[in-house]
Amino acid sequence: QVQLQESGPGLVKPSQTLSLTCTVSGGSISDGGYYWSWIRQPAGKGLQWIGRVYTSGNTNYNPSLKSRVTISIDASRNQFSLNVKSVTAADTAMYYCAREAEAGGGGHWFDPWGQGTLVTVSS
Amino acid sequence: DIQMTQSPSTLSASVGDRVTITCRASQSISSWLAWYQQKPGRAPKLLIYKASSVESGVPSRFSGGGSGTEFTLTISSLQPDDFATYYCQQYSSYSPYTFGQGTKLELK
């Protein structure tokens, strides 16, 4: 059973870059041809999809964040990563990594999810 | 973006009640809709996909319906474990994927 675990700094200064890693266990990140996503949720608010990466390294991003976001994959470490540059307080949120539930292109729902990691942007 | 609008935002109900949450899409998404349950401090949990397919292990009291622009999540007989926040998600378009704003189901 595939499990995901987010890791990274819990506190980032304004204007700096937020960097998180999602480690996949229970299976290879390269197997099955899945997309791997990042999703965030400000405290008390709804869910926002940030973007996704394919096993080949192909990416898709939310247009509202595209200029600041980079998602990459490292199959050798069974990990994928998120970088958000030039952060502000508005980027303070719980960040989740998740796998799309079905392989291949197009759109899918998310399952499983990581437990989430809280990132606060503050000086 | 495809906008997803849930109603109501808050729903007060009692154990044993039958409740329905509605999710409307700003354009047709066929049956490309999922429902999640989220409890405080936890990641969302998949309940329903393809509008009406119940995820393995999810109690049979949960059901989903609809197509096009209007969808429902129904809990046939509320149990204490069901009080949580529920989100719909469209995956007709991944540019971008979008979620509803959430419906908080609270104990009356």
Side-chain angles (χ1 to χ4, degrees):
Chain A
Q1 183 179 355
V2 171
Q3 294 184 309
L4 290 78
Q5 177 68 59
E6 305 87 348
S7 60
L11 181 64
V12 181
K13 289 182 167 52
S15 80
Q16 294 191 344
T17 296
L18 177 164
S19 296
L20 297 175
T21 296
C22 182
T23 300
V24 178
S25 59
S28 171
I29 200 170
S30 298
D31 287 347
Y34 293 95
Y35 276 92
W36 304 85
S37 278
W38 286 97
I39 298 157
R40 70 181 184 180
Q41 183 175 36
K45 297 189 177 181
L47 299 156
Q48 182 183 36
W49 179 74
I50 301 169
R52 68 180 188 174
V53 61
Y54 192 57
T55 52
S56 65
N58 184 49
T59 54
N60 301 108
Y61 298 121
N62 190 322
S64 69
L65 296 168
K66 186 174 182 177
S67 64
R68 298 194 295 127
V69 169
T70 303
I71 298 175
S72 59
I73 193 166
D74 185 344
S76 66
R77 296 188 175 193
N78 233 29
Q79 296 175 335
F80 64 106
S81 298
L82 169 70
N83 282 344
V84 182
K85 65 181 183 182
S86 306
V87 297
T88 69
D91 295 306
T92 294
M94 184 71 76
Y95 285 76
Y96 296 101
C97 57
R99 191 194 72 180
E100 294 191 12
E102 287 191 334
H108 305 102
W109 59 101
F110 301 105
D111 185 64
W113 296 60
Q115 65 184 28
T117 188
L118 179 62
V119 178
T120 301
V121 178
S122 175
S123 55
Chain B
D1 297 9
I2 299 175
Q3 306 299 321
M4 306 301 293
T5 304
Q6 291 181 229
S7 60
S9 294
T10 305
L11 180 56
S12 298
S14 302
V15 173
D17 284 353
R18 177 185 179 91
V19 299
T20 297
I21 299 168
T22 297
C23 178
R24 290 185 173 85
S26 60
Q27 64 189 70
S28 177
I29 58 170
S30 185
S31 296
W32 306 126
L33 185 101
W35 289 97
Y36 302 88
Q37 176 193 68
Q38 187 179 35
K39 295 183 178 180
R42 304 291 297 274
K45 172 190 173 184
L46 176 69
L47 298 175
I48 305 281
Y49 59 94
K50 293 180 184 176
S52 60
S53 296
V54 181
E55 173 69 353
S56 175
V58 172
S60 58
R61 63 182 179 273
F62 289 90
S63 63
S67 65
T69 61
E70 187 155 336
F71 302 86
T72 57
L73 172 69
T74 298
I75 309 172
S76 60
S77 178
L78 271 175
Q79 299 302 301
D81 190 51
D82 301 337
F83 293 95
T85 300
Y86 293 85
Y87 293 94
C88 61
Q89 177 228 335
Q90 68 79 20
Y91 53 94
S92 174
S93 168
Y94 56 81
S95 190
Y97 290 126
T98 47
F99 295 84
Q101 82 279 14
T103 294
K104 184 177 182 180
L105 181 53
E106 61 180 26
L107 184 61
K108 185 185 289 184

